[in-house]
Amino acid sequence: MTAKKFAGIIPPLCTPFNDDFTVDTESLRRHIEFQLDAGVHGVFVLGSSSEVAFLPDAQRRETIETAVDQVAGRVPVLAGCIDMTTLRVAEHVKTAEEAGADAIVVTAPYYTRTHVAEIDRHFRLLHEKTALPIFAYDIPVAVHTKLDRELVLSLAADGVIAGLKDSSGDEAGFRFVLKERRERGLDALAVFTGSELLVDSALALGADGAVPGLGNVDPVGYVLIHDHVRSGNPHAARREQDRLLSLFTITDVAPPSRMGRGSAALGAFKAAMKMRGFIDNAVMAPPQLPLNGDELLRIKQKLAEAGLL
Amino acid sequence: MTAKKFAGIIPPLCTPFNDDFTVDTESLRRHIEFQLDAGVHGVFVLGSSSEVAFLPDAQRRETIETAVDQVAGRVPVLAGCIDMTTLRVAEHVKTAEEAGADAIVVTAPYYTRTHVAEIDRHFRLLHEKTALPIFAYDIPVAVHTKLDRELVLSLAADGVIAGLKDSSGDEAGFRFVLKERRERGLDALAVFTGSELLVDSALALGADGAVPGLGNVDPVGYVLIHDHVRSGNPHAARREQDRLLSLFTITDVAPPSRMGRGSAALGAFKAAMKMRGFIDNAVMAPPQLPLNGDELLRIKQKLAEAGLL
Amino acid sequence: MTAKKFAGIIPPLCTPFNDDFTVDTESLRRHIEFQLDAGVHGVFVLGSSSEVAFLPDAQRRETIETAVDQVAGRVPVLAGCIDMTTLRVAEHVKTAEEAGADAIVVTAPYYTRTHVAEIDRHFRLLHEKTALPIFAYDIPVAVHTKLDRELVLSLAADGVIAGLKDSSGDEAGFRFVLKERRERGLDALAVFTGSELLVDSALALGADGAVPGLGNVDPVGYVLIHDHVRSGNPHAARREQDRLLSLFTITDVAPPSRMGRGSAALGAFKAAMKMRGFIDNAVMAPPQLPLNGDELLRIKQKLAEAGLL
Amino acid sequence: MTAKKFAGIIPPLCTPFNDDFTVDTESLRRHIEFQLDAGVHGVFVLGSSSEVAFLPDAQRRETIETAVDQVAGRVPVLAGCIDMTTLRVAEHVKTAEEAGADAIVVTAPYYTRTHVAEIDRHFRLLHEKTALPIFAYDIPVAVHTKLDRELVLSLAADGVIAGLKDSSGDEAGFRFVLKERRERGLDALAVFTGSELLVDSALALGADGAVPGLGNVDPVGYVLIHDHVRSGNPHAARREQDRLLSLFTITDVAPPSRMGRGSAALGAFKAAMKMRGFIDNAVMAPPQLPLNGDELLRIKQKLAEAGLL
C-alpha cells in the first residue's frame, strides 16, 4: 500500500492571505512545514478549503508555485483546477503543469446543467491535454452533481483518472467503488475520502487516504488515525477520530442565521490555524464574513479542550 | 418608459465559435446586425446563453470588444461578469470596463455555500470598484441560490444595482419586486424578465424589458410582443408569445437521457441560428454534446412551422 | 366560459377547529356563508390550506359533509383526497362520494419515490374507481414531484382528469398547458391557478379560475379580480391583485427561524379569519406552533391597512 | 450490549399481497419463520420496505396483528406509524398498541413544510399519548426533512424516544450521534442504521443494530455480519457485507427511465423473496409498476451468483 505514490493523509491546505488578499506566502510556507513535521503524506492546494473559488488566477498560480517550492519534492503536491467547464479548466491545468504540481484535481462541470455523458467527455478531453495524473473530485455540495460510480470506474479502467477524492457524503457509494476497484483489478486508482469525520472507517475499508480539511488545524491527529489503522489498531484510531469529531464543531460556532456554512467552516479553520501559530492572518476572501469575538473565543476554548493550545 | 437607458428587448447573444473554439467574430458581427435590424433595444453578451461558463477569459474579452465595436453605440451593450466570487468577478468587471460595455451583469456567488448577508456584501464591494451600472442576475438554476427580494430592493434603494434580470422562474416574487419598486419609488431600477415564455405578461405587469434566449432565433417575434404591449394590444402580444412558446420546444428535441438541458437548449439555438443564416457554425464548447441528424431535422421542421425558414 | 361547471374563484377553505381539534362545524358553516356572500364560485375543502395533512379521517369526512350540507348546491364543492398512494387515496374518494362532493382533487404519489409512468397509472386507476370529476393537484412543495405537462394533457385528452389545480409556481409550464389545451381542443379541461399572487394574469391568459388560499381572508378581493378581468378591465384587476400581494405578507410575520412556513401561513390566515369574525378559534392542528402576540398584532395592522377591519 | 431489548438485525419486512392487495397473511407468516430461522433479532413491519405508504389502514392493522401473532414473543415486533402529522400518526399508534406491537417507529411530519421546533413537538405529543417505546425514523428521501442530531439527542435525554433508525445516508451525523450518546450517557437510546450497505461499519462504530431492507432476501447474510462483528472478526464481516453490496444491485435492474426507484427496489426484493420461496406472490401495490421478464431473469442470475438459489 505504501508503495503507492498517492496515499495517506493529504490535507487540503487553507490559503493564508495578506490584508489585500494577496497570498501570504510566508505563512503558507510555515503552514506547510507544520504539516510536513506532523507527517502528512502529501498536500493539496487549491481545493475548496483553499478558498479556490475566491482566488483570482494570479493568486492561484502563486499558491501552487509556493507550495511546490516549499515542499521541494518531500511529498506530492496536488493542485485543484477548479472551474466551470473544459476550456476554462484546461487553462488551470496548464498553470499547474508549469508550476510543477504532481497531480491535478478536477470536478464535474458546474453553473451549466450537465449530464453524465458530458462529465465523461470533460474528463477524457482533459486527460488528452495533460500527462499529469487526474483526480476526480466528487463534491456535489459545490457543483450540485454527484459523480456516477460507474463513470468513475470506467474512467479509471481507461486510465483517464488516477484517483478519486470523494467529498460526496455517499458512504455506500464510496464503499461500492472500493469493492469494485478490488473486483475489477483497478488497483491503479487511488481512492481518498474528503470527509474529516470518517477517516478511520474509510481507511479500514481500503481507501488509500484522506483529504481532511480539519487537518489544517490538527494534522497530527489525522496522521495518528492513519498510523493506527495501518498498524491494526482500530480502537485507537476510533478514539482519535472521535476526538476530531468534537474538534470539528468549531465549524458550527458561527450560526447559519449569520453567515454561509462555507465562511463558518473556513473562518474557523483559519482562526484556529492562527491561534496555533501556523499562519499570521485569519482574513478570508470576500464576500465571506468574519467570525466575531464571541465565536473566536469559543474556538479557542475548543482548541484548548482538544489539547491544541 | 422609453426614456430609460435600459428597456425593451435585449437578447442574450449566443457566442458563435470557430472549430477551435475561438470566437467566430465575423458571425458574431453578422448576428448582431440581424438583431439590430429586427429592432432589439440592446444586446447582452456573456450571459448563460452565450456559453459564458465555457469561455476562457481571452474569448470573453474578445466577445465584448467585438460586440461593442459592431454595435457602435446604436444600443447599449450589457456584459456578463460571471464567476464564483468577488475577486474573480472584479477581474471580469475590469475587462468589461476596458472593452467598453455599458453595464455589467452579476450573479450571486456560487460553488461556495453562501448567505444573503454575503450576497449583499458581494454586490456592494463590486459597486465600490466600478462606475458601470450593475444588473443583478437572479438565476438559481445555475448558481443554486435565489436572490432574496428584499435584498434586491435594498440594493436598488442604495444605488448599488441599476437593474435586475430575473431568470428565477418565481413570477410571484418578480411581481412583488415590481409592486414594491412602484410603492417605494425605486424607479431607477430597471427590471427585466429572463424568461422567453412570459415576456408579454412581464411587460404588461410593468417590467422594463426582457432578455429572451430564444430571441437569438427570432428577434422579430420578441420585438413584436414588445411593440404590441406598448401600444396596448395585449391579444396580439399573446398570440405572438404563444407562437414563441411553440418554437421554444426546439430546446427539447434532444432528450434528457442523451444530454444536459443546457446543451439541448444552446445546441438548438445555435442550430436554428445557423439554419437562418445568422452564424456559420453551430459548434458548442466542450464538454457539451452535439445534436444529431434527427434532432436537427426536427428543429428545421419547427422553424418552418414557425415561418422562419 | 361561465357555462363551465368549474370556473371562477374557488377558495381552499381553512378548517376551523375546536380546542380538541374536532371540526368547529358552526364556524365552518359561517365561514362558508361569508364566502358565498362574497360571490365565490365554488369551495374547495381538504386542500393544503385546510390542514388536510393534519386531519384524521373522521374530521375529513365531517368537513366534506358539513360543507356539502351548508353549500346546499349553490356552488360546486371540491374535496381533496390527499394521501400517499392509490389504495389510500381510493378510500378518501369513497368518502368524498358518500359525502356528496362534486369533484375530487388528487396529487401525485408522495413519500415513495415515484415516476411519471406511475403517476399516470395512479390517476387512471382512480378514474376507473369513481365517476366524480378528478382535478390533478400539482403541488411540488408538498409532494416533491412536479406533474409533467404532457402527462396532464394526455390525461385530459383521455378524459381521466377534468381539471388541473396548478400550485407548482411554474408559470411558463402553466401557460404551455393553456396554449396546448386550446390547440388540441381539450376544452373540457378546467385549468385553475393555485397561486394567490398571480390570479389576474392567470385569468387573462385563459385560466378558468383560481384557488387562492388568501381568499379565506379576503374573498371579495378575489371575486373583484375575477370580475374585472372578465369585464375587460385589466388595470383594475391588477390594482386589486397588488393590494392582495401586500396583504399576503401576513404569511411572513412569523419568521423562518421560529416555525415552518406552513404554520406561518395557515396561522396567519386563521388569525385573520378570526379577527374578521369568520371563525371563532384560530387554533392549528399539532404539531404546528401558534403565532405570538406581536405577530398577531402585526397581522391586525396589515388587515387594517387593507381596509379589512 | 445483548441485554438491550432492541439490538441486532431487525429486517423491515416486505408485505406480501394477494392479487386484490389484501395482505397474504400466509406468506407473511412463512416469511417471518424464514427470518426467525435465520436468527434475526426482531422484525419491523410497516416501514418503507413494507410498502406502508401504499397500505390502507385495514391492511396495516392486519399486518401488525399477523406479525405479532406469528412471532409470538420470540423477538420484538416494531411497527411503523407512518403518516403526515401528529393526529394522524396518533391513530396508527393506537392501532399498534391494540395489535400488540413492542415499539413504534415515527418519522418527521411531511407533506407540510415543517420546522425543527415542530418536529420536536410532534415526538413529544406522541410520547404523551403512548407508553410504547418510540423510534425516530430519519428518512429524508421520503419525508424531505433530515432529523437534526441535537434534536435526536435531546429527545433521547428526555426519554421521549427510545431509539433511532437512521436511513438518512449521513454517516458523519450518525457517527456524531453515537459519540455523543456515549459522552452524554444516553445509553438507553438504541441506535440502528437503516442502510443495508454499511451494516458492518455501523456495528463496529457502536450501533446497536441494523434494519436492512435486503435482509428480506438474505437474512442469514446480515446475521452473519452481526455475529462476525460481535465476535471481533471485522474482515469476515466485511467480506459478507461486500457480498451483499453485490446482491443489492438487484435493486437497479429496472432502469430509472422505466419506473421509480421505490418500485425498482421493492419489486426486486419481492421477486427475490418469491424465487427463494419465502412468499407466493411478488405483486406490488399500485401505482407501482411490475418488473418485466428480462429484469426478473437478471435478478435470478444475481441470486444464483450470491448462492441463494
Side-chain angles (χ1 to χ4, degrees):
Chain A
M1 188 73 72
T2 48
K4 275 200 174 177
K5 180 164 186 188
F6 303 106
I9 303 302
I10 304 185
L13 299 186
C14 290
T15 312
F17 297 127
N18 299 305
D19 277 335
D20 62 356
F21 306 114
T22 54
V23 179
D24 174 359
T25 54
E26 204 173 316
S27 283
L28 179 55
R29 288 176 184 276
R30 193 163 82 240
H31 184 46
I32 288 171
E33 287 307 310
F34 276 112
Q35 294 283 326
L36 294 179
D37 284 352
V40 304
H41 309 90
V43 297
F44 171 34
V45 294
L46 303 184
S48 307
S49 298
S50 315
E51 294 171 75
V52 68
F54 299 85
L55 288 176
D57 289 354
Q59 280 97 311
R60 288 189 178 200
R61 175 185 289 271
E62 191 170 20
T63 299
I64 313 181
E65 286 174 347
T66 304
V68 168
D69 183 66
Q70 186 65 29
V71 167
R74 290 175 285 175
V75 297
V77 176
L78 286 72
C81 295
I82 308 299
D83 217 315
M84 296 174 258
T85 56
T86 314
L87 298 178
R88 291 186 66 83
V89 173
E91 301 208 332
H92 299 295
V93 173
K94 198 151 161 267
T95 302
E97 285 176 339
E98 290 167 2
D102 295 295
I104 56 169
V105 183
V106 173
T107 70
Y110 54 95
Y111 189 92
T112 182
R113 289 170 290 164
T114 192
H115 182 278
V116 65
E118 293 169 349
I119 302 171
D120 181 75
R121 193 174 176 223
H122 182 59
F123 281 103
R124 291 180 190 274
L125 288 170
L126 290 168
H127 177 57
E128 286 172 15
K129 287 175 199 281
T130 185
L132 283 179
I134 299 176
F135 277 68
Y137 189 177
D138 193 9
I139 185 161
V141 73
V143 304
H144 300 276
T145 303
K146 169 89 184 78
L147 290 183
D148 181 78
R149 64 193 194 191
E150 283 300 335
L151 171 66
V152 166
L153 292 163
S154 92
L155 290 172
D158 295 346
V160 173
I161 60 171
L164 170 69
K165 172 185 180 320
D166 187 337
S167 298
S168 72
D170 174 9
E171 297 310 308
F174 185 69
R175 180 155 192 170
F176 191 87
V177 168
L178 290 171
K179 178 182 80 76
E180 292 296 310
R181 178 177 70 162
R182 200 164 50 242
E183 295 181 1
R184 302 186 196 182
L186 303 172
D187 303 332
L189 182 74
V191 178
F192 282 72
T193 180
S195 169
E196 45 262 282
L197 306 176
L198 302 166
V199 175
D200 61 340
S201 359
L203 295 176
L205 288 168
D208 297 291
V211 186
L214 188 61
N216 281 284
V217 179
D218 190 359
V220 169
Y222 286 100
V223 172
L224 270 174
I225 293 177
H226 173 267
D227 292 347
H228 287 317
V229 174
R230 292 291 177 246
S231 60
N233 196 343
H235 296 290
R238 182 177 158 200
R239 264 198 310 277
E240 194 64 21
Q241 178 68 78
D242 278 354
R243 189 181 60 78
L244 291 164
L245 257 84
S246 296
L247 181 61
F248 190 68
T249 60
I250 60 173
T251 64
D252 283 330
V253 300
S257 57
R258 211 171 79 69
M259 68 175 65
R261 293 302 82 200
S263 315
L266 296 180
F269 289 168
K270 283 190 150 181
M273 289 160 68
K274 185 180 173 194
M275 291 170 191
R276 299 203 68 196
F278 297 173
I279 61 174
D280 289 336
N281 192 334
V283 68
M284 288 180 289
Q288 294 174 98
L289 294 172
L291 303 185
N292 64 28
D294 278 353
E295 291 157 358
L296 293 174
L297 194 64
R298 290 181 56 204
I299 290 172
K300 199 164 200 169
Q301 290 165 341
K302 285 172 184 281
L303 286 178
E305 285 164 20
L308 298 177
L309 278 190
Chain B
M1 189 72 73
T2 48
K4 275 200 173 176
K5 181 163 183 189
F6 303 106
I9 303 301
I10 304 185
L13 300 185
C14 289
T15 311
F17 295 128
N18 299 307
D19 277 335
D20 61 357
F21 306 113
T22 55
V23 179
D24 173 359
T25 54
E26 205 174 316
S27 284
L28 178 55
R29 289 175 183 277
R30 193 162 83 240
H31 183 47
I32 288 172
E33 288 307 311
F34 276 111
Q35 294 284 326
L36 293 180
D37 285 352
V40 302
H41 310 90
V43 296
F44 171 34
V45 294
L46 302 183
S48 307
S49 297
S50 315
E51 294 172 74
V52 68
F54 299 85
L55 288 175
D57 289 354
Q59 280 99 312
R60 288 189 178 200
R61 175 184 288 271
E62 190 169 20
T63 298
I64 312 180
E65 288 173 346
T66 304
V68 167
D69 183 67
Q70 185 66 28
V71 167
R74 290 175 285 176
V75 297
V77 176
L78 286 72
C81 295
I82 307 299
D83 216 314
M84 296 173 258
T85 55
T86 313
L87 298 179
R88 292 186 65 84
V89 172
E91 302 209 329
H92 299 295
V93 172
K94 197 151 162 267
T95 302
E97 286 176 339
E98 291 166 1
D102 296 295
I104 57 170
V105 185
V106 173
T107 70
Y110 52 96
Y111 190 92
T112 182
R113 288 170 291 162
T114 192
H115 183 277
V116 65
E118 293 169 350
I119 302 172
D120 181 74
R121 192 174 177 222
H122 181 59
F123 281 103
R124 291 180 191 274
L125 288 171
L126 290 167
H127 177 57
E128 286 172 16
K129 286 175 199 279
T130 185
L132 284 178
I134 299 177
F135 277 67
Y137 189 177
D138 194 9
I139 184 161
V141 72
V143 305
H144 300 277
T145 303
K146 170 87 184 78
L147 290 183
D148 181 78
R149 63 194 194 190
E150 284 299 335
L151 171 65
V152 167
L153 292 164
S154 93
L155 290 173
D158 295 346
V160 173
I161 60 170
L164 170 68
K165 173 185 181 317
D166 187 337
S167 298
S168 73
D170 174 8
E171 296 311 308
F174 185 69
R175 181 157 191 168
F176 190 87
V177 168
L178 290 171
K179 178 182 78 76
E180 292 296 309
R181 178 178 68 162
R182 199 164 50 241
E183 296 182 0
R184 302 186 196 182
L186 302 173
D187 303 332
L189 182 74
V191 178
F192 282 73
T193 179
S195 170
E196 45 262 282
L197 306 176
L198 302 167
V199 175
D200 60 342
S201 0
L203 294 176
L205 287 169
D208 297 291
V211 186
L214 188 61
N216 282 285
V217 179
D218 190 0
V220 170
Y222 284 101
V223 172
L224 270 174
I225 292 176
H226 173 267
D227 293 348
H228 286 317
V229 174
R230 292 292 176 243
S231 60
N233 196 344
H235 295 291
R238 182 176 157 199
R239 263 197 311 277
E240 194 63 21
Q241 179 66 81
D242 278 355
R243 188 180 62 78
L244 291 163
L245 256 85
S246 296
L247 181 60
F248 190 68
T249 60
I250 62 173
T251 63
D252 283 331
V253 301
S257 56
R258 210 172 79 70
M259 68 175 67
R261 293 303 82 199
S263 316
L266 297 179
F269 289 168
K270 283 190 149 181
M273 289 160 68
K274 186 181 173 193
M275 289 171 192
R276 297 203 69 197
F278 297 171
I279 61 173
D280 289 337
N281 192 333
V283 68
M284 287 180 289
Q288 294 174 99
L289 294 172
L291 302 186
N292 65 26
D294 277 353
E295 291 157 358
L296 292 173
L297 193 63
R298 290 181 55 205
I299 289 173
K300 200 164 201 169
Q301 290 165 342
K302 285 172 185 281
L303 286 178
E305 285 164 20
L308 298 176
L309 278 191
Chain C
M1 189 72 73
T2 49
K4 274 199 173 177
K5 181 163 184 189
F6 302 106
I9 303 301
I10 304 186
L13 300 185
C14 290
T15 312
F17 295 127
N18 299 307
D19 277 335
D20 62 355
F21 306 113
T22 55
V23 180
D24 173 358
T25 55
E26 205 173 316
S27 284
L28 179 55
R29 289 176 183 277
R30 192 162 84 240
H31 184 46
I32 288 172
E33 287 307 311
F34 277 111
Q35 295 283 326
L36 293 179
D37 284 353
V40 304
H41 309 91
V43 296
F44 171 35
V45 293
L46 303 184
S48 308
S49 297
S50 315
E51 293 171 76
V52 68
F54 300 84
L55 288 175
D57 289 354
Q59 280 98 311
R60 288 188 177 201
R61 175 185 289 271
E62 190 170 19
T63 299
I64 312 180
E65 287 173 347
T66 304
V68 167
D69 184 65
Q70 185 66 28
V71 167
R74 290 176 285 176
V75 296
V77 176
L78 285 73
C81 295
I82 308 299
D83 216 315
M84 295 173 259
T85 56
T86 314
L87 298 178
R88 291 186 66 84
V89 173
E91 301 209 331
H92 299 296
V93 173
K94 198 151 161 267
T95 303
E97 286 177 339
E98 291 166 2
D102 295 295
I104 57 170
V105 184
V106 173
T107 70
Y110 53 96
Y111 189 92
T112 182
R113 289 170 291 162
T114 191
H115 183 278
V116 65
E118 292 169 351
I119 302 172
D120 181 74
R121 192 173 176 223
H122 182 59
F123 280 104
R124 291 180 190 275
L125 288 171
L126 289 168
H127 177 59
E128 285 173 17
K129 286 175 199 281
T130 185
L132 283 179
I134 299 177
F135 277 68
Y137 189 177
D138 194 9
I139 184 162
V141 73
V143 304
H144 300 277
T145 303
K146 168 88 184 78
L147 290 184
D148 180 80
R149 64 194 194 189
E150 284 299 335
L151 171 65
V152 166
L153 291 164
S154 92
L155 290 173
D158 295 346
V160 173
I161 60 171
L164 170 69
K165 171 185 181 320
D166 186 337
S167 299
S168 72
D170 174 9
E171 296 310 308
F174 186 67
R175 180 156 191 168
F176 191 86
V177 167
L178 289 171
K179 178 182 80 75
E180 292 296 310
R181 179 179 68 162
R182 199 164 50 242
E183 295 181 0
R184 302 186 196 182
L186 302 174
D187 303 331
L189 182 74
V191 177
F192 283 71
T193 179
S195 170
E196 46 262 281
L197 307 176
L198 302 167
V199 175
D200 60 341
S201 359
L203 294 176
L205 288 170
D208 298 291
V211 186
L214 188 62
N216 281 285
V217 179
D218 190 359
V220 169
Y222 285 101
V223 172
L224 269 174
I225 292 176
H226 173 266
D227 292 348
H228 286 317
V229 173
R230 293 291 177 244
S231 60
N233 196 344
H235 296 290
R238 182 176 158 199
R239 264 198 310 277
E240 195 63 21
Q241 179 67 80
D242 278 354
R243 189 181 60 78
L244 291 164
L245 256 84
S246 295
L247 182 59
F248 190 68
T249 60
I250 61 173
T251 63
D252 283 330
V253 300
S257 55
R258 212 172 78 70
M259 68 176 63
R261 293 302 83 198
S263 316
L266 297 180
F269 289 168
K270 284 190 150 181
M273 289 160 68
K274 185 180 173 194
M275 290 172 192
R276 298 203 68 196
F278 297 171
I279 62 173
D280 288 337
N281 192 334
V283 69
M284 288 180 289
Q288 294 173 99
L289 294 172
L291 302 185
N292 65 28
D294 279 352
E295 290 156 359
L296 293 173
L297 193 63
R298 289 181 56 203
I299 289 172
K300 199 164 201 170
Q301 290 166 340
K302 285 172 185 282
L303 286 178
E305 285 164 19
L308 298 176
L309 277 191
Chain D
M1 188 70 75
T2 48
K4 276 200 174 177
K5 181 165 185 187
F6 303 106
I9 302 302
I10 304 186
L13 300 185
C14 289
T15 312
F17 296 128
N18 298 307
D19 278 334
D20 62 356
F21 305 113
T22 54
V23 179
D24 174 359
T25 54
E26 204 172 318
S27 283
L28 179 56
R29 289 176 184 277
R30 193 163 81 239
H31 184 47
I32 288 171
E33 287 308 310
F34 276 111
Q35 294 283 327
L36 293 180
D37 285 353
V40 303
H41 309 91
V43 296
F44 171 34
V45 293
L46 302 184
S48 307
S49 298
S50 314
E51 294 172 75
V52 68
F54 299 85
L55 288 175
D57 289 354
Q59 280 99 310
R60 288 188 178 201
R61 176 184 288 272
E62 190 170 21
T63 299
I64 312 180
E65 288 173 347
T66 304
V68 168
D69 183 67
Q70 185 66 28
V71 167
R74 289 175 286 175
V75 296
V77 176
L78 286 72
C81 295
I82 307 300
D83 217 315
M84 295 173 258
T85 56
T86 314
L87 298 179
R88 292 186 65 85
V89 172
E91 302 209 332
H92 299 296
V93 172
K94 197 151 161 268
T95 303
E97 285 176 340
E98 290 166 1
D102 296 295
I104 57 170
V105 183
V106 173
T107 70
Y110 52 96
Y111 189 92
T112 182
R113 288 170 290 162
T114 192
H115 183 278
V116 65
E118 293 169 351
I119 302 171
D120 181 73
R121 192 173 177 223
H122 182 59
F123 281 103
R124 290 180 191 275
L125 288 171
L126 290 167
H127 177 58
E128 286 173 16
K129 287 175 197 279
T130 185
L132 284 179
I134 299 177
F135 277 69
Y137 188 177
D138 194 9
I139 184 162
V141 73
V143 304
H144 300 276
T145 304
K146 169 87 184 78
L147 290 183
D148 180 79
R149 63 194 193 190
E150 283 301 335
L151 171 65
V152 166
L153 292 164
S154 93
L155 290 173
D158 295 346
V160 173
I161 60 170
L164 170 69
K165 172 185 180 320
D166 187 337
S167 299
S168 72
D170 174 10
E171 295 311 308
F174 185 68
R175 181 154 189 169
F176 191 86
V177 168
L178 290 171
K179 178 181 80 75
E180 292 296 310
R181 178 179 68 162
R182 199 164 50 241
E183 295 181 1
R184 302 187 196 181
L186 303 173
D187 303 332
L189 181 74
V191 178
F192 282 72
T193 180
S195 169
E196 46 261 283
L197 306 176
L198 302 166
V199 175
D200 60 340
S201 358
L203 295 176
L205 288 169
D208 299 290
V211 186
L214 188 62
N216 281 285
V217 179
D218 190 0
V220 169
Y222 285 100
V223 172
L224 269 174
I225 293 176
H226 173 267
D227 292 349
H228 286 317
V229 173
R230 293 291 177 244
S231 60
N233 196 344
H235 296 291
R238 181 176 158 200
R239 264 199 309 277
E240 195 63 21
Q241 178 66 81
D242 278 354
R243 189 181 61 78
L244 290 163
L245 256 85
S246 296
L247 181 61
F248 190 68
T249 60
I250 61 173
T251 64
D252 283 330
V253 301
S257 55
R258 210 171 80 69
M259 69 175 65
R261 294 302 81 199
S263 316
L266 297 180
F269 288 168
K270 284 190 149 180
M273 288 160 69
K274 185 180 173 192
M275 290 171 191
R276 297 203 69 196
F278 297 172
I279 61 173
D280 288 336
N281 192 336
V283 68
M284 288 179 290
Q288 294 173 100
L289 294 173
L291 303 185
N292 66 27
D294 278 353
E295 291 157 358
L296 293 174
L297 193 64
R298 289 180 57 204
I299 289 172
K300 198 164 201 169
Q301 289 165 342
K302 285 171 185 282
L303 286 178
E305 285 164 19
L308 298 177
L309 279 190

